[in-house]
Amino acid sequence: MYGRPDSAYQSYKWRPVNCDLPRFNGGEFLRRMQGKTIMFVGDSLGKNQWESLICLIYSSDQQTRTQIVRGLPLSTFKFLDYGLTISFHKAVFLVDIDVSQGKRVLKLDEINVNGNLWRDADVLSFNTGHWWTHKGSEQGWDYIESGGEYYQDMDRLVAMEKGVKTWAHWIDSNIDRTKTKVFFLSISPTHYNPIEWNPAITGTTTENCYGETAPETSTAYAGTYTDQMRVLDSVLRDMHTPTYFMDITMLSKLRKDAHPSIYSGILSPAQKANPVYGDCSHWCLPGLPDTWNQLFYTALL
């Protein structure tokens, strides 16, 4: 990806304990999902999975006719010979964001606009997480609306729980469980702090996974995001609509080697030469999201 010189990260595969995952079969996927609509909804990690799935399927039949329409908030890829549509809807908080007098208002109690795009899908896969923690210039709102009151900020975990509960209520009230399968991707981890996987490091000022070429091998490596994971687990357990919680957090936390790092396409040559910061949030393709889609394939078919 963007000149990353090594490729060993593409060779590692996830092997669950006490079971075997079936190999991803793109041709079988096309046949079984003929005439269907699959939609990924969430942030750029959901987009990572969307791109991975398209590549996995297309590699099995590169002669099939395709069509892609990129846009915001919706991008769509079609396998025309099979009538299969796979879309990505960017909705990083799942709940609605309105703009009022030039200010972005995060509406924790509303899914009106976003939900209109989800109603007709046969398969829905959601994710959220990272954007709830962003602050400063990366924060995704100017005001939060909750219970008819407006706030400039609130406890981020409380806000996320309110938003995810609104999403769960929308799913339970609007999705026909006999027609639509619903998935939720767990929190995709980051690797910005080398001390997390190498406690011997002291005094580091880098926020980078640059130079990491092998995964962690110990499942004792706990990682982070436990609070957000507890919120997701609690809300999904209370839902009436069967929702497949695809827990990829631990297996992904072991993959400190699988990020673009400085090869994200946004750094200048000078910045690459002195790698203080890199993209250790998203994932290289081909790479780890292919494993997510192997699990998705197994659960879906």
Side-chain angles (χ1 to χ4, degrees):
M1 176 178 284
Y2 297 110
R4 178 170 173 171
D6 62 303
S7 59
Y9 66 89
Q10 300 178 20
S11 301
Y12 292 100
K13 307 297 180 184
W14 176 255
R15 179 178 295 172
V17 177
N18 298 327
C19 69
D20 293 317
L21 288 176
R23 185 180 181 86
F24 188 97
N25 186 323
E28 178 70 9
F29 193 99
L30 285 169
R31 289 187 290 274
R32 295 280 292 274
M33 298 304 295
Q34 187 166 357
K36 303 290 187 181
T37 296
I38 301 171
M39 181 176 288
F40 292 89
V41 182
D43 59 27
S44 52
L45 282 310
K47 184 180 181 183
N48 233 175
Q49 186 181 5
W50 173 68
E51 293 170 334
S52 163
L53 181 61
I54 290 169
C55 291
L56 285 171
I57 297 172
Y58 183 72
S59 65
S60 70
D61 186 356
Q62 298 184 25
Q63 303 304 313
T64 188
R65 294 179 302 141
T66 62
Q67 178 188 73
I68 186 168
V69 178
R70 295 187 180 272
L72 280 175
L74 186 69
S75 294
T76 298
F77 192 98
K78 295 183 178 182
F79 290 90
L80 299 174
D81 295 327
Y82 294 87
L84 171 61
T85 298
I86 307 178
S87 298
F88 170 70
H89 176 209
K90 184 179 180 181
V92 298
F93 302 108
L94 302 183
V95 293
D96 289 343
I97 296 182
D98 284 350
V99 177
S100 177
Q101 297 180 346
K103 301 295 183 180
R104 301 162 299 170
V105 181
L106 178 61
K107 294 180 170 289
L108 295 182
D109 305 323
E110 293 185 17
I111 296 181
N112 295 320
V113 177
N114 286 348
N116 289 331
L117 295 174
W118 309 342
R119 295 181 187 275
D120 296 327
D122 299 289
V123 180
L124 287 164
S125 179
F126 296 90
N127 89 290
T128 190
H130 288 200
W131 279 78
W132 295 98
T133 66
H134 290 178
K135 295 184 178 182
S137 61
E138 295 184 346
Q139 182 174 293
W141 66 80
D142 297 300
Y143 295 97
I144 297 173
E145 182 181 357
S146 177
E149 301 290 333
Y150 289 85
Y151 308 86
Q152 285 191 316
D153 208 347
M154 66 167 59
D155 182 284
R156 300 305 182 86
L157 199 62
V158 171
M160 177 180 171
E161 184 172 19
K162 287 176 179 286
V164 176
K165 283 183 175 179
T166 297
W167 165 85
H169 177 73
W170 189 94
I171 292 292
D172 282 340
S173 302
N174 292 275
I175 293 300
D176 182 351
R177 68 182 70 182
T178 65
K179 174 184 179 294
T180 303
K181 293 184 178 180
V182 181
F183 292 77
F184 206 106
L185 189 75
S186 71
I187 306 298
S188 175
T190 62
H191 292 91
Y192 285 108
N193 185 3
I195 296 175
E196 287 183 1
W197 60 86
N198 188 357
I201 295 177
T202 58
T204 180
T205 58
T206 64
E207 295 184 354
N208 210 338
C209 51
Y210 173 68
E212 296 294 338
T213 58
E216 283 293 312
T217 57
S218 172
T219 55
Y221 176 39
T224 55
Y225 296 105
T226 54
D227 290 338
Q228 287 190 338
M229 287 288 285
R230 278 195 289 268
V231 166
L232 295 179
D233 183 66
S234 174
V235 173
L236 267 62
R237 285 180 185 274
D238 288 340
M239 292 177 66
H240 302 300
T241 302
T243 301
Y244 194 102
F245 188 36
M246 210 165 72
D247 188 351
I248 51 82
T249 303
M250 172 56 79
L251 70 87
S252 302
K253 192 64 180 175
L254 298 174
R255 296 303 309 277
K256 59 183 172 59
D257 60 308
H259 298 285
S261 184
I262 65 171
Y263 304 105
S264 62
I266 62 174
L267 299 184
S268 68
Q271 290 171 320
K272 284 185 178 181
N274 183 27
V276 176
Y277 178 84
D279 182 353
C280 302
S281 175
H282 302 100
W283 306 94
C284 292
L285 293 177
L288 178 66
D290 299 339
T291 296
W292 303 353
N293 279 317
Q294 188 179 11
L295 295 169
F296 181 62
Y297 169 85
T298 304
L300 181 59
L301 302 186

